[in-house]
Amino acid sequence: MTNTSNGLEVRGRIISASFDLTDGVVSVHGDRIVAVRPMAEWLAFHPDSAPPKFSGLIVPGLVDIHNHGGFGHRFDTVDADEARAAAGFHHSRGSTTVLASVVTGPAAEMVAQVATLRALAVDGTIGGIHAEGPFLAVARCGAQDPRYLRDPDPALTDELLTAADGHLRVCTIAPELPGYDAVAQLLTDNDVVISLGHSDTDFARFRQALAPTGSARLVTHLANGMPPLHQRNSGPVAAALTAAANAHAVVELIGDGVHVDAGFGALVFAAAPRQVALITDAMQAAGMPDGEYRLGPQAVRVIDGVARVPNGSIAGGTATLAQCLSWAVRNCGVPLPDAVRAATAVPAAAAGLTDVGDLRTDQYADLLIVDDDLQLRRVLRRGQWLT
């Protein structure tokens, strides 16, 4: 990499949705990418300049669209500094864009949390807000507190939209609940992506909501918070994979090796390799030792890196998205370009984020340098080195 009067030049093997270059250069000016070129082309444009040093494998900054916190900090808070610290931890670990996820809780608390997060979305600390609840099925609540679940409610939805002021990017809803259609239409009218999840419905209802004429285009943490796939009762998992295989939906996959095993991960990528969004579902304990934590109103205990609420349900993840990327390649056998896309361009597009997730002109200057084992070496966010 080289710093020049015109900006920053980073050279290496480049893999992104737009490029697969054995030897290329990403040119940065300010907080934006101004060019991505093969090395030979860069030399032709700079005949009198010494070439930048080869840095290693360069991939876009990772995009985590489902994240509840990390390093002891939470996004389900009314303390802006707490939320900012959670985002900063994940930025430093390679997730240069994070959607801050709030979980089901008392309605007034959720609205206040969304209002707090709005300021962080305005200043670019987070890429937007994800509301996971409270319109979820009690039977598949997982770590969501069942005391505060409710049927889809237009009035509460309006409050959340007002608090977010255009920064609510994704809302997870169970499609079988009474009132789903009205709230889905309200969210769609306000450019919020509807993600189906924490649902106890069958194949037909789930598939209907993901049809080209349906309301949803995203599935929250596939296979978690829904009935298991079974050959005589295929349920939401089969409906989601069918929709993804036909490019009608993107499916989130928690790539921590806890929420799903490597065989299931391999199956999902084989079915729809360009419709998978790797996520962390990270919570407060990500990057921290075993111990006692919280997720929304519920206490969480982490043992051997696995977080659970008192009823035994897994309570989010403790991995970073860079670790999930490595898991997809090393454990599931996913080709590196597909895995990179699943941690960058696919989630960015699924959440409606247009200036992150790729390495190309006019995108934010967000990139990672990793070694051959996909271990993180350096992080560039908005044109500034974080590590």
Side-chain angles (χ1 to χ4, degrees):
M1 66 201 73
T2 302
N3 286 295
T4 72
S5 58
N6 293 321
L8 176 68
E9 309 281 0
V10 187
R11 177 186 174 192
R13 182 190 176 195
I14 298 171
I15 295 181
S16 75
S18 295
F19 292 95
D20 189 341
L21 302 175
T22 302
D23 189 358
V25 179
V26 180
S27 301
V28 172
H29 185 75
D31 65 355
R32 298 281 175 169
I33 295 171
V34 294
V36 180
R37 305 183 182 99
M39 188 60 201
E41 185 177 322
W42 188 92
L43 289 170
F45 272 86
H46 303 84
D48 300 321
S49 299
K53 182 180 178 181
F54 193 91
S55 300
L57 175 60
I58 302 170
V59 300
L62 308 184
V63 179
D64 191 356
I65 61 172
H66 190 148
N67 189 309
H68 298 281
F71 208 56
H73 307 290
R74 298 159 57 185
F75 286 129
D76 53 324
T77 180
V78 293
D79 182 341
D81 288 338
E82 166 113 354
R84 195 179 301 278
F89 165 72
H90 286 285
H91 294 164
S92 71
R93 299 305 192 272
S95 296
T96 52
T97 299
V98 175
L99 290 196
S101 302
V102 297
V103 294
T104 300
E109 291 185 13
M110 292 188 71
V111 171
Q113 291 163 5
V114 168
T116 299
L117 293 171
R118 176 188 63 211
L120 275 67
V122 169
D123 70 17
T125 300
I126 59 174
I129 303 163
H130 163 221
E132 189 177 9
F135 312 135
L136 310 175
V138 173
R140 298 292 171 178
C141 64
Q144 305 279 330
D145 194 324
R147 295 174 296 171
Y148 303 109
L149 295 177
R150 59 166 71 188
D151 290 338
D153 177 358
L156 176 53
T157 303
D158 263 327
E159 290 186 61
L160 292 169
L161 288 167
T162 299
D165 193 23
H167 296 285
L168 183 62
R169 291 282 184 177
V170 178
C171 185
T172 298
I173 315 182
E176 70 271 23
L177 297 180
Y180 169 83
D181 290 334
V183 166
Q185 188 62 58
L186 179 57
L187 291 168
T188 300
D189 290 345
N190 284 274
D191 298 321
V192 179
V193 176
I194 297 163
S195 188
L196 305 185
H198 289 280
S199 169
D200 198 40
T201 194
D202 58 13
F203 175 92
R205 181 68 187 94
F206 213 81
R207 188 179 187 186
Q208 180 186 26
L210 292 171
T213 56
S215 51
R217 295 290 177 270
L218 184 61
V219 176
T220 295
H221 46 49
L222 182 67
N224 287 274
M226 59 187 65
L229 179 66
H230 190 279
Q231 72 272 21
R232 289 187 295 277
N233 187 11
S234 53
V237 175
L241 286 175
T242 301
N246 288 300
H248 297 154
V250 168
V251 293
E252 292 182 352
L253 190 69
I254 306 175
D256 60 2
V258 173
H259 286 78
V260 298
D261 72 9
F264 186 81
L267 169 68
V268 173
F269 272 96
R274 298 199 172 199
Q275 299 297 121
V276 182
L278 284 168
I279 61 163
T280 60
D281 197 12
M283 48 82 67
Q284 185 185 23
M288 298 289 286
D290 289 356
E292 306 294 326
Y293 299 92
R294 295 198 70 81
L295 179 65
Q298 301 220 74
V300 176
R301 175 172 291 177
V302 178
I303 300 174
D304 295 332
V306 180
R308 296 185 186 275
V309 291
N311 70 7
S313 292
I314 299 176
T318 61
T320 66
L321 194 53
Q323 291 170 324
C324 296
L325 171 64
S326 179
W327 172 83
V329 175
R330 304 301 180 197
N331 295 76
C332 304
V334 177
L336 181 59
D338 288 339
V340 168
R341 193 179 293 108
T344 56
V346 174
L353 302 170
T354 59
D355 49 10
V356 297
D358 199 358
L359 296 176
R360 55 181 169 81
T361 302
D362 294 331
Q363 290 260 297
Y364 275 119
D366 296 347
L367 62 82
L368 313 182
I369 299 174
V370 299
D371 64 22
D372 291 341
D373 293 322
L374 301 181
Q375 296 302 301
L376 193 62
R377 290 172 54 191
R378 299 206 70 181
V379 178
L380 185 77
R381 182 175 191 269
R382 307 299 194 261
Q384 300 294 319
W385 292 110
L386 302 184
T387 59

